[in-house]
Amino acid sequence: MTALARGAGDHGAETTISGTIPIYAKWTEDIYFYDPSDGSAMTLTGLVFYFQFRSDPDQTSADVTLSTSGSSPALSLVADGGGVTSILRISAAAGTFTNYEGDMIADLVAVDQSDNETLYGHGVVRFTNNPVSV
């Protein structure tokens, strides 16, 4: 998955999201957060993240949501090598996106302790039928 600098579109997100994800395999990936002005690690402590996917851009609700909350979260917050909780780890089980082959609108949102929402990423990802595993 790729994240580009702010200003890549008119969506108001901090970054643009794009990439390809296999629908029948486990999806494991880390997203590192840092301050673009000085490159320092950005602490994610106290934030709840939601990675939402919609099959239609006009939908007002997600087809699939990964989150750092709940009984078995597919997202987790992890400390970097310097001890700052600045990594969002994706660990979506194989089959999470089985019914969603093709392009999906992706939104990465964080909610702070005051219920303020920040749209960190927005874009289109493609879910593909990955090869049969050996």
Side-chain angles (χ1 to χ4, degrees):
M1 191 169 321
T2 304
L4 302 174
R6 188 177 194 148
D10 61 353
H11 45 65
E14 297 287 331
T15 64
T16 298
I17 297 171
S18 65
T20 303
I21 301 163
I23 61 176
Y24 292 110
K26 181 177 180 180
W27 176 27
T28 304
E29 188 168 345
D30 289 344
I31 301 173
Y32 295 80
F33 284 76
Y34 61 91
D35 185 330
S37 65
D38 65 9
S40 63
M42 184 179 123
T43 184
L44 305 178
T45 303
L47 297 176
V48 176
F49 278 86
Y50 300 92
F51 210 157
Q52 301 175 320
F53 300 90
R54 297 174 283 142
S55 54
D56 181 340
D58 294 329
Q59 282 178 223
T60 57
S61 61
D63 290 303
V64 178
T65 299
L66 307 179
S67 176
T68 55
S69 67
S71 60
S72 57
L75 302 178
S76 58
L77 301 178
V78 179
D80 62 15
V84 178
T85 303
S86 63
I87 301 169
L88 178 66
R89 179 160 293 154
I90 302 166
S91 296
T96 300
F97 302 102
T98 300
N99 297 320
Y100 299 103
E101 188 172 351
D103 290 346
M104 301 274 290
I105 306 300
D107 294 299
L108 180 60
V109 179
V111 180
D112 68 16
Q113 295 168 343
S114 298
D115 287 332
N116 295 312
E117 296 180 7
T118 301
L119 179 60
Y120 279 104
H122 173 81
V124 177
V125 296
R126 175 162 291 169
F127 290 95
T128 61
N129 186 358
N130 52 297
V132 175
S133 59
V134 194

